[in-house]
C-alpha cells in the first residue's frame, strides 16, 4: 500500500506553479472618497425615506383622528349619565380637556354635555365630583355662545347653590371663576 501511494503521490499532488497575477487596487484617497460618498448617500436616502414615512403617517393621522375626537366627546358625555361618580368625574375631566376652542365648546353644548354637566353638579354628593363638574363648566363657558346657553339652562342658580368645600379649595375657586365669567358677560348673577 505504501509503495502504491508513493508512486501516485506525484500525480495526485503535483506542484506546478500556477501563475496568479494579483491585481493591486489603488488605495489612493480617490477610492476612499467614493466609498464615503456612497455611504453618505445611503444614509441620506434612509433619512429621506424615514421623513416621507413620518409625513405620510402624520397626514393620515390628521385625517383619521378628528373622527375619533367626536366619538370620544360623545362617549364622555355618555359617561355623565352613569350612576358611579368616578365615571362621571372621568367624563367631566375629558370634556374639560376637549373644550380648547369655541368650535369644540359648542359641539359639547350641542350634544348635550353642558346640560348633563349642570345635572351632574346639582346631584353631586362629593367634592371631587363637584370640582370636575365646575372645572368642565368653566372650560366650556370660555365661549360666549356656550356661556349664553349655560345661562339659559339655569347655570347661575345651580352654581350658586353648590356648597362650599372645606376640604378642596378648588371647588370654591372654580365656582367663583364661573360666577365672575357670567358677571363679565353682563349676566345677573344674583338670580
Amino acid at each position: 500500500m505504501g509503495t502504491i501511494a508513493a508512486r501516485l503521490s506525484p500525480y495526485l499532488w503535483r506542484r506546478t506553479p500556477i501563475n496568479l497575477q494579483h491585481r493591486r487596487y489603488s488605495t489612493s484617497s480617490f477610492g476612499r472618497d467614493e466609498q464615503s460618498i456612497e455611504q453618505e448617500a445611503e444614509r441620506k436616502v434612509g433619512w429621506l425615506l424615514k421623513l416621507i414615512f413620518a409625513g405620510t403617517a402624520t397626514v393620515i393621522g390628521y385625517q383619521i383622528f378628528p373622527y375619533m375626537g367626536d366619538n370620544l366627546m360623545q362617549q364622555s358625555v355618555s359617561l355623565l349619565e352613569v350612576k358611579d361618580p368616578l365615571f362621571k368625574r372621568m367624563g367631566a375631566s375629558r370634556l374639560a380637556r376637549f373644550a380648547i376652542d369655541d368650535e369644540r365648546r359648542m359641539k359639547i353644548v350641542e350634544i348635550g354635555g353642558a346640560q348633563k354637566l349642570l345635572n351632574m353638579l346639582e346631584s353631586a354628593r362629593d367634592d371631587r365630583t363637584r370640582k370636575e363638574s365646575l372645572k368642565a363648566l368653566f372650560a366650556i363657558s370660555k365661549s360666549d355662545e356656550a356661556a349664553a346657553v349655560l345661562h339659559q339652562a339655569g347655570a347661575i342658580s345651580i352654581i350658586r347653590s353648590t356648597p362650599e368645600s372645606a376640604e378642596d379649595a378648588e371647588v370654591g375657586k372654580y365656582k367663583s371663576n364661573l360666577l365672575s365669567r357670567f358677571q363679565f358677560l353682563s349676566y345677573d348673577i344674583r338670580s
Side-chain angles (χ1 to χ4, degrees):
M1 193 74 145
T3 57
I4 296 175
R7 284 189 183 170
L8 289 177
S9 68
Y11 296 107
L12 294 175
W13 292 287
R14 187 180 296 179
R15 293 193 179 221
T16 55
I18 299 173
N19 190 6
L20 292 177
Q21 293 181 349
H22 292 288
R23 284 190 168 177
R24 295 197 129 200
Y25 292 102
S26 172
T27 58
S28 69
S29 63
F30 181 71
R32 289 184 189 151
D33 284 344
E34 278 184 4
Q35 205 172 28
S36 66
I37 289 171
E38 189 175 318
Q39 287 175 349
E40 188 172 332
E42 287 176 0
R43 192 171 45 238
K44 286 182 180 178
V45 168
W47 276 106
L48 179 66
L49 290 174
K50 288 177 187 175
L51 287 173
I52 289 171
F53 175 75
T56 305
T58 303
V59 168
I60 290 171
Y62 275 112
Q63 297 299 321
I64 292 173
F65 287 123
Y67 299 114
M68 291 178 65
D70 287 344
N71 277 342
L72 287 174
M73 206 177 296
Q74 184 66 42
Q75 290 172 357
S76 300
V77 171
S78 297
L79 283 175
L80 300 177
E81 297 172 345
V82 178
K83 290 184 179 182
D84 187 14
L86 173 67
F87 289 111
K88 287 184 176 188
R89 287 193 300 267
M90 287 171 39
S93 175
R94 282 183 181 179
L95 289 176
R97 281 182 274 151
F98 284 134
I100 57 173
D101 59 7
D102 287 348
E103 182 182 337
R104 290 185 186 178
R105 291 179 187 116
M106 286 309 297
K107 179 73 174 174
I108 292 170
V109 170
E110 288 170 8
I111 60 178
Q115 184 62 48
K116 290 179 183 172
L117 281 168
L118 288 171
N119 294 343
M120 175 181 154
L121 178 62
E122 199 170 27
S123 65
R125 296 175 191 237
D126 62 311
D127 290 337
R128 291 184 297 177
T129 306
R130 285 187 200 99
K131 180 182 88 170
E132 289 300 328
S133 177
L134 287 167
K135 182 178 175 182
L137 286 169
F138 180 67
I140 292 170
S141 73
K142 290 181 181 177
S143 165
D144 293 346
E145 294 174 31
V149 172
L150 286 172
H151 176 68
Q152 290 172 353
I156 294 175
S157 61
I158 295 171
I159 293 168
R160 291 193 65 190
S161 67
T162 303
E164 292 291 331
S165 171
E167 299 172 6
D168 199 351
E170 288 187 60
V171 171
K173 181 184 90 168
Y174 286 120
K175 182 178 172 180
S176 65
N177 285 344
L178 270 166
L179 291 174
S180 63
R181 173 74 179 144
F182 285 120
Q183 189 174 17
F184 174 76
L185 294 172
S186 301
Y187 294 118
D188 186 18
I189 62 169
R190 290 172 283 164
S191 58

